[in-house]
Every structure is written in C-alpha cells, then in structure tokens.
Amino acid sequence: ELKVEQNPLFLSMQEGKNYTIYCNYSTTSDRLYWYRQDPGKSLESLFVLLSNGAVKQEGRLMASLDTKARLSTLHITAAVHDLSATYFCAVDRGSGGGADGLTFGKGTHLIIQP
Amino acid sequence: ETGVTQSPTHLIKTRGQQVTLRCSSQSGHNTVSWYQQALGQGPQFIFQYYREEENGRGNFPPRFSGLQFPNYSSELNVNALELDDSALYLCASSLGLAGLGEQYFGPGTRLTVT
C-alpha cells in the first residue's frame, strides 16, 4: 500500500522567513504533485514533478523531487501572508493505468503571520 | 476553455438516503476521477472513469458507484448514506488515464449527512 507522509502537519511562521515542507512516500514512483487548498475551496495545482532531480519554481515556492530517496520538498522563500493555505503532496504509482488514482498526504496547514 | 464544474455546491441528506453528485470535465478531457475529502484530511481516491468505463477503484464499498457519459461528464452515486460520508467530494479531469496527465480539480460538493 502506497503511503504518503508530510511534515510538518502544522506550521506557523513569520513573514520574510524561509521554510521547507517535506513529503516522503513509501513505494517507487516518479510522478509527484503539489497542490494548494484554501479553506473551503478546491485544490489548485502548483507543481508537477515527473522525474528524478526535477526542480520547479514559481514565485516564492520551489519544489524538488528525489525519487531514490522517495522524497519531495516544497521550499518557501521570504514567506508572505498570501501563502497561508494547506499544501498537499500527492503521488501516483506511475503505472500508466491510473487504476490507483493519486495518493495524498494529510496536508501541511501553513499560517504566515505578519 | 471551460474548467471542471460540479453540482450541487452543497447538499444535506439524511442517513439512509441516496445522493447523486455531478461533474463536468474540462474541455477536451476524457477521464474523470472522484475523491472524498473528510474534514482535515487529504483527498482519498474513490474511482476513475475513462471513456465511460470504470478504470480503477480505491478502498470504497460498492454503495459508491458512478457513471461517465459520452460527453465525458460524470456522476457519483452514494446509496444508504452514513454519517461518515459527510465530506467534500472532488472530481478531477485529465486527458488520458490519470498518471499520464495532470489532473484538474473542480470546486467540490460539500455533502452533510445528518
């Protein structure tokens, strides 16, 4: 059974600081996704990481994937209040059949304080 | 380009009743996946439909069933509702089987079972 673990689950940080969210998964996969969810809203796609060593950046967020370590990170640089949200990583088995859907972590609830 | 839409937005049902949720996929997408997100949790994969056939299923009982229509829109049906079925139900569409393409999520249907 594929398991996806995120840490931390809750994070309160000040504006201007840097921090990293970690996503570990238990079986081989080379497809990992990061989503953002605002309270009461749906999931917004942030990054799609499709190969070992993939690194993608958008604004103050940067995501990376190490398939050998089964680890992805989401790094926040110089945080601003607008980044407050819940962040999910999700993994699929990469079998191409889609039969298992995406397996999500429990999410990291991020609060950025002025 | 039209995004993923879901209806209704909110729904209140009584235990034992049946419910149907609807999803229209993003233009050009032929695959729809359904997820259940309980409060404070990550989404859990229910099942996926590809070209009108169920292509994969998560750990959900048979009282969760679905359909996909020729225009690739989809329905999720839940029979004999239980209190634990209260959740946000998300559908996601993709081009081709999930795992081969990015999934785009709709706004969700909030189901409350009393």
Side-chain angles (χ1 to χ4, degrees), chain A residues 31 33 35 37 40-48 50 88 92 94-107, chain B residues 6 33 35 37 40-45 48 55-58 88 90 97-108 110:
Chain A
R31 292 183 176 84
Y33 306 82
Y35 290 92
Q37 187 174 42
K41 303 294 186 181
S42 187
L43 299 172
E44 174 191 354
S45 177
L46 295 175
F47 299 108
V48 180
L50 299 178
F88 291 95
D92 74 58
S95 65
D100 300 320
L102 294 179
T103 301
F104 284 80
K106 290 187 175 181
Chain B
Q6 291 185 245
S33 302
Y35 292 82
Q37 186 178 21
Q41 301 295 316
Q44 284 194 294
F45 175 66
Q48 175 186 267
N55 185 61
R57 189 177 185 93
L88 179 67
L90 298 164
L97 294 169
L100 297 177
E102 186 176 357
Q103 295 189 50
Y104 296 86
F105 283 83
R110 174 75 61 188

Side-chain angles (χ1 to χ4, degrees), chain B residues 23-88:
Chain B
C23 172
S24 292
S25 60
Q26 184 164 313
S27 178
H29 286 183
N30 55 11
T31 304
V32 173
S33 302
W34 286 92
Y35 292 82
Q36 180 195 67
Q37 186 178 21
L39 197 61
Q41 301 295 316
Q44 284 194 294
F45 175 66
I46 303 174
F47 45 54
Q48 175 186 267
Y49 278 82
Y50 173 65
R51 293 184 176 177
E52 303 180 54
E53 292 193 0
E54 185 179 299
N55 185 61
R57 189 177 185 93
N59 190 25
F60 281 81
R63 59 189 185 85
F64 286 79
S65 63
L67 284 173
Q68 188 179 31
F69 301 100
N71 66 354
Y72 303 129
S73 65
S74 177
E75 287 183 352
L76 164 65
N77 299 291
V78 187
N79 293 322
L81 284 166
E82 300 177 0
L83 296 179
D84 285 348
D85 296 334
S86 295
L88 179 67

